[in-house]
Amino acid sequence: MIGNSKEYPLGEINYKFGEGEVCCLEKAKNFITLSTMALVPAYDGKNQTIIFDQSGNQVSYPHSKLKILDDACLVRASSYDGRIKAVRKALHYFNKTPLMICPQDSIYALPTISPQDYNCIWLFHHHIQEFFKEENKTYVSFKNGDRLLVNNSIYSLHKQWERTANTRI
């Protein structure tokens, strides 16, 4: 602790605020970190998003996936719209544009369908092991051994994965 400041842990980063100051993201448990594997829609009537992490945790939040992604960009001095605009300008990916949340920490995400669609799943590039079919259903296999059912073709997912890899260059 420095002087009068308090330390508030947010994911893997600590932010310091002066006495009495409260950051709007102080209580944000929906912070995206290197351990985040996927954001999926919640269908429980109460929450909008479930965050999957590499430890096997699945946490539900009332916030939309786009709000969570925007907050993740904002704490890194940017915004969802700014990051999307940058990728579109540089790489001309105008549909299902990959999101570079934090290039310094290599946090990149790809949408499975239009991000405006409630059913969109956001996958985090560095956790993806492979895409495969089983019993006529498509799955994403993550490096930690977990798998997630997705409503996409393997071709579409692989193309999105490649596009996201191109944003990392």
Side-chain angles (χ1 to χ4, degrees):
M1 192 173 311
I2 300 172
N4 254 1
S5 67
K6 290 183 181 176
E7 206 168 278
Y8 296 99
L10 291 176
E12 298 169 1
I13 301 172
N14 290 327
Y15 289 88
K16 295 179 171 74
F17 303 97
E19 191 67 36
E21 290 181 50
V22 177
C23 172
C24 62
L25 297 172
E26 170 198 338
K27 296 180 182 177
K29 296 185 192 303
N30 57 348
F31 192 71
I32 301 298
T33 68
L34 281 169
S35 69
T36 307
M37 296 192 317
L39 303 180
V40 302
Y43 300 103
D44 63 10
K46 177 181 166 190
N47 295 293
Q48 291 188 52
T49 304
I50 302 170
I51 298 178
F52 288 75
D53 73 21
Q54 69 184 12
S55 299
N57 298 318
Q58 298 178 23
V59 183
S60 298
Y61 292 99
H63 308 292
S64 72
K65 293 177 290 296
L66 293 179
K67 166 80 169 119
I68 291 168
L69 292 168
D70 190 43
D71 285 351
C73 293
L74 287 172
V75 298
R76 293 171 172 94
S78 189
S79 68
Y80 173 89
D81 290 336
R83 296 282 192 195
I84 293 294
K85 187 176 180 181
V87 170
R88 286 179 176 167
K89 183 166 178 70
L91 299 172
H92 306 286
Y93 296 153
F94 298 104
N95 296 312
K96 298 192 290 186
T97 306
L99 179 64
M100 55 176 179
I101 296 166
C102 184
Q104 297 82 359
D105 290 336
S106 295
I107 303 176
Y108 296 82
L110 56 115
T112 57
I113 57 178
S114 169
Q116 277 63 46
D117 190 314
Y118 184 81
N119 296 310
C120 178
I121 295 172
W122 284 87
L123 303 171
F124 287 73
H125 189 263
H126 61 283
H127 287 289
I128 297 171
Q129 180 73 39
E130 66 177 338
F131 306 110
F132 68 96
K133 275 214 177 281
E134 188 176 277
E135 297 179 7
N136 221 17
K137 295 178 182 174
T138 305
Y139 292 87
V140 177
S141 175
F142 295 102
K143 292 178 181 175
N144 71 348
D146 289 351
R147 64 188 206 169
L148 180 66
L149 176 66
V150 291
N151 193 16
N152 295 82
S153 69
I154 289 177
Y155 173 82
S156 172
L157 290 168
H158 194 267
K159 186 162 181 80
Q160 279 299 99
W161 186 86
E162 286 178 339
R163 291 172 69 184
T164 306
N166 289 339
T167 65
R168 298 178 68 137
I169 299 172

